Amino acid sequence: MMWRLAAALAGGGLATLGFAPFGWWPLTLAAIALLLFVLRDQSIPRVGLLGFAFGLGHFVSGIYWVFYSTVYYGNAPPWMGVMLVVLLAAVLALFPAVLLALTRWLVPTASRLWPLAVALGWLASELIRGTVLEGFPWLATGYAFIDTPLRGLAAVVGVHGISAAIWLGCASLVALLRPPVWRGHALITLVILVNALAWPSPSSWTRADGPALDVALIQGNVAQADKWRPGQAPIIARRYEQRTDEVLGADLIVWPEVAVPYTYPQIRDGYLARIGERAAAAGSAVVVGTLIPNADRTQMLNSVVGIGATEGTYLKRHLVPFGEVFPLPDFMRPLLDVVDLKFANLDTGPAGQAHFPIRHTQASISICFEDVFGDEIAREGRGSGLLINVTNDAWFHRSTAAPQHLQIARMRAAETGRPLLKVAQTGLTAMIGPDGEVQRQLPWFELATLRGSVQPVAGHTPYMRWDDRPLWWGCLLGALLLLGWRRYAQRVG
């Protein structure tokens, strides 16, 4: 059993290499196949334990960067940073552990239905993981395949649908290696491959809408350690004002998340009003990340406001775990007294917030971590012509967090068939096309402005119309059918 545990733990780490910045997706396939191979013919508790080991290796290696926000910028002791990473990874690992164990309970590994059960189990684990508590759907398997032909499926079934296809294919291949062999497993794998090649590109579901926009994305390159340091605020504010003045006349100018270290009431009537007047005269819409106090002024809301040739306010709905909120039980709260993050446990905004008018089109806004919720981006983006995500990945230093975040944004573009503008404080700022390809990108930790042309679109992809609902219903229906099959097999057996 020990070698199986070691293989599952190592496989979890290996699976992470398929994600950005590495992109070695064949290793993710190999890791999934390795896990499924070692859990074949194992008891229900052992399947759960192996699933937990895989998840632990995967999430520790994939989200280790939580350490930076709590230790480097929250002044927590290193032992606490390590503890929080392991704790978060262990909680996330429970989802595949429980769902794979449930899969084994429903269907023996020798059954012809085993690959289908595995795919449904993993799909359910991703969907539930992105929903319970604050939701943390980071590292969904499908992200690793954004640069493969499977990207075409994103516009139809989203990233979690791609995950299910990958696990179904891998389980079918593993089933071919172990008796009893059923040729239908090879057929399933072939169908997945053919479908991946046959699906149209995400952009084929939408169409150009009006003239292209001239956009400018400002990457201020403000290090997180310097942002709130005394005396820095005027310097940072001048930097963004000067950069904005240089590109006045562009249809759209976007600043990153909480661009300047002031709250909105502090800069609304002077600084932003001054910039807004010049932008309106030049016909430029300026989208600014800032902090707005809530109604009773007890908490801040991470927000975006429109000035110049646009107007609107967007309030962030999903907070970053261990950055803006600490999703821990009350008995563990005293441990966090030593953590000194500038703004933690922020307030949140409502669903269904209005788009920002930009020339002849509408922009759907998200802030930082919110773009990991694909179903919400799809719903909130209906009727928009482009997507904008402002972020501050400086919290996580030079880790894999920013490349992973860019990969996630690319999937959102592919799911919706829309261009996405990602604007980051220190990078990676990028213009992403409606097929999920990076069209232009700024390097990390450089003060720069990304200027380019973006074509708004009209129309909705199938995924935008039905988001994750068919996947949830598919999991429920599949579970009921497998449960019925189990009871039938017990009666005739």
Side-chain angles (χ1 to χ4, degrees):
M1 181 59 182
M2 291 305 298
W3 75 267
R4 292 178 186 270
L5 277 173
L9 187 66
L14 189 69
T16 305
L17 295 177
F19 294 79
F22 311 104
W24 301 336
W25 57 265
L27 293 182
T28 301
L29 291 176
I32 294 171
L34 174 63
L35 171 67
L36 297 177
F37 185 83
V38 300
L39 59 75
R40 290 268 290 182
D41 304 324
Q42 298 298 297
S43 65
I44 296 172
R46 286 191 172 191
V47 168
L49 185 58
L50 291 169
F52 180 81
F54 180 89
L56 188 65
H58 187 40
F59 292 116
V60 166
S61 61
I63 58 170
Y64 69 92
W65 34 262
V66 169
F67 178 90
Y68 293 109
S69 65
T70 54
V71 175
Y72 285 9
Y73 304 119
N75 299 317
W79 67 264
M80 179 175 288
V82 172
M83 182 195 72
L84 289 175
V85 170
V86 174
L87 177 63
L88 178 59
V91 170
L92 298 176
L94 289 175
F95 292 95
V98 172
L99 270 299
L100 288 176
L102 180 60
T103 294
R104 172 63 183 82
W105 178 76
L106 286 171
V107 177
T109 55
S111 170
R112 293 179 177 182
L113 295 177
W114 179 70
L116 176 61
V118 166
L120 287 174
W122 190 269
L123 172 60
S125 77
E126 287 192 355
L127 291 173
I128 296 171
R129 175 162 61 88
T131 304
V132 300
L133 299 177
E134 295 292 329
F136 197 83
W138 207 279
L139 290 182
T141 302
Y143 289 123
F145 298 87
I146 186 66
D147 289 313
T148 73
L150 286 171
R151 176 169 58 185
L153 291 174
V156 181
V157 293
V159 67
H160 301 304
I162 297 175
S163 298
I166 292 298
W167 282 80
L168 177 62
C170 288
S172 298
L173 287 174
V174 170
L176 289 172
L177 302 176
R178 301 285 298 274
V181 174
W182 182 48
R183 292 180 181 177
H185 293 151
L187 179 62
I188 290 172
T189 305
L190 180 62
V191 167
I192 291 173
L193 292 175
V194 171
N195 267 280
L197 297 173
W199 280 108
S201 64
S203 61
S204 66
W205 298 98
T206 55
R207 63 188 183 278
D209 182 28
L213 298 176
D214 177 20
V215 304
L217 314 181
I218 301 177
Q219 181 173 292
N221 192 33
V222 179
Q224 193 61 33
D226 298 333
K227 186 170 183 177
W228 300 98
R229 187 172 294 169
Q232 289 296 305
I235 298 173
I236 296 169
R238 281 196 300 271
R239 178 180 300 181
Y240 277 99
E241 184 173 10
Q242 291 169 358
R243 285 277 168 169
T244 301
D245 285 342
E246 291 171 1
V247 292
L248 284 179
D251 297 314
L252 174 63
I253 303 168
V254 187
W255 296 10
E257 176 186 14
V258 190
V260 298
Y262 294 105
T263 64
Y264 181 59
Q266 291 176 309
I267 57 177
R268 176 184 52 206
D269 297 328
Y271 177 72
L272 288 183
R274 183 173 68 243
I275 295 173
E277 288 177 3
R278 295 198 297 269
S284 297
V286 185
V287 173
V288 177
T290 186
L291 289 167
I292 297 178
N294 63 2
D296 57 8
R297 307 187 73 84
T298 58
Q299 289 177 289
M300 291 291 179
L301 295 103
N302 198 340
S303 311
V304 169
V305 298
I307 60 175
T310 189
E311 60 181 12
T313 301
Y314 176 80
L315 309 175
K316 189 175 184 181
R317 298 175 56 202
H318 284 285
L319 303 180
V320 180
F322 303 103
E324 296 172 322
V325 66
F326 287 86
L328 295 176
D330 290 339
F331 75 88
M332 296 190 68
R333 294 286 174 178
L335 292 175
L336 300 176
D337 290 343
V338 297
V339 181
D340 181 28
L341 295 175
K342 182 65 179 177
F343 293 102
N345 294 311
L346 300 177
D347 201 356
T348 56
Q353 299 180 55
H355 297 154
F356 283 39
I358 309 294
R359 293 290 186 182
H360 57 281
T361 191
Q362 302 279 323
S364 179
I365 309 293
S366 62
I367 301 176
C368 189
F369 176 67
E370 290 185 309
D371 66 354
V372 78
F373 297 91
D375 58 335
E376 293 186 5
I377 294 295
R379 286 196 301 271
E380 300 292 331
R382 293 170 188 162
S384 69
L386 72 155
L387 309 178
I388 298 174
N389 177 261
V390 300
T391 187
N392 180 16
D393 292 332
W395 282 104
F396 305 108
H397 205 51
R398 290 183 178 269
S399 67
T400 57
Q404 288 174 2
H405 201 185
L406 178 60
Q407 188 177 56
I408 288 168
R410 293 178 60 198
M411 187 63 75
R412 298 293 86 84
E415 288 171 345
T416 60
R418 276 159 170 67
L420 188 151
L421 305 177
K422 189 167 191 66
V423 190
Q425 185 78 260
T426 57
L428 300 163
T429 295
M431 296 180 181
I432 304 170
D435 287 320
E437 78 285 5
V438 176
Q439 296 176 331
R440 301 188 66 188
Q441 178 181 323
L442 292 177
W444 248 339
F445 297 99
E446 283 191 15
L447 172 60
T449 301
L450 184 60
R451 190 83 179 260
S453 178
V454 171
Q455 175 62 61
V457 303
H460 296 144
T461 64
Y463 182 72
M464 286 192 80
R465 296 182 186 278
W466 55 56
D467 50 75
D468 283 337
R469 285 172 293 174
L471 301 181
W472 282 102
W473 282 109
C475 285
L476 178 60
L477 179 61
L480 291 175
L481 290 174
L482 291 175
L483 181 60
W485 179 90
R486 179 179 184 273
R487 301 181 84 172
Y488 169 78
Q490 286 176 334
R491 284 199 302 268
V492 300

